[in-house]
Amino acid sequence: MLKMFLTPFLLACTFAALFSPFYKVLLKFFRGHRGIGALSCCVIIVLGIVVPVYFLGYLVLHQLLALYQTVEPTVQSIARGENSGFIARFEGNPILVHLTGLGINWQGAMLDILKTAGATMAKMVNKTSLGALEIILSLFVTLL
């Protein structure tokens, strides 16, 4: 049970050591009011760390969604078994013609690889969204 709090606790100790001089400056600015100084220090840490990480995550998610929307029609046509589009580009390749002559089904293997890649991308997006919630909760425990 304590294992899930170990990382936020160590992170809180690190932040306390790093931002202690900054907290002392804020304490002087707020004339010794420790609560206001601690609150403002936490707000500045959140704004300085969480906001840039949020925007970075937003950009990554936006690019992943754009990639998915670009690749989805191609994957859909491949899943339906259509040879137009992506696979049709490779049909004139001499190596692949030789493989077909040997009786190797390279199209089926390529379809399997693309289906696996699509499933892996879907899992990555799912784990990323669950990981974001875990990071937010860990940050809350760290600041607490």
Side-chain angles (χ1 to χ4, degrees), residues 14-31:
T14 304
F15 281 166
L18 288 174
F19 290 101
S20 178
F22 180 65
Y23 170 71
K24 289 177 183 175
V25 169
L26 288 176
L27 201 57
K28 287 179 186 177
F29 180 75
F30 290 114
R31 297 184 183 120

Side-chain angles (χ1 to χ4, degrees), residues 33-54:
H33 294 283
R34 293 182 355 200
I36 296 172
L39 178 67
S40 61
C41 189
C42 286
V43 167
I44 290 170
I45 289 171
V46 167
L47 291 177
I49 294 173
V50 173
V51 172
V53 169
Y54 170 78

